[in-house]
Amino acid sequence: MRRCSRTACTAEAVATLSYDYADSTVVVGPLSPVREPHGYDLCARHAERTSAPRGWQVVRPKPMGEIDFMA
C-alpha cells in the first residue's frame, strides 16, 4: 500500500497527480501502477481538493470503467 504524499497524511493513495508544464495542466488520474519520480500519490480527499495555479487547468480523466465511447 502506498501512502498519500501530502505532509502528515497517512491515508492510502488512490490517485497520482502530475504536472504538464507545457500545457499549464495539472492531471489527477488513477493511481499509477508504480511510483512515478515526478508524480505525487494522493488519497481520495487530497485528490478531490487539488486545485491548479491561476491560468492552469485541472484534468481528471475518468477511470477506464467510466469511459463513454459513444460521446
Side-chain angles (χ1 to χ4, degrees), residues 2-69:
R2 293 183 353 223
R3 300 273 181 206
C4 182
S5 296
R6 296 292 302 258
T7 303
C9 183
T10 60
E12 180 178 358
V14 298
T16 298
L17 176 145
S18 59
Y19 294 99
D20 183 342
Y21 293 97
D23 290 331
S24 301
T25 303
V26 176
V27 180
V28 181
L31 186 64
S32 64
V34 295
R35 187 177 302 272
E36 298 291 331
H38 300 290
Y40 300 89
D41 294 338
L42 300 174
C43 65
R45 189 182 84 155
H46 287 120
E48 182 63 34
R49 296 177 57 175
T50 295
S51 61
R54 184 174 297 153
W56 285 49
Q57 66 177 343
V58 177
V59 175
R60 299 176 195 279
K62 291 182 179 181
M64 288 300 292
E66 297 179 26
I67 293 177
D68 183 3
F69 291 103

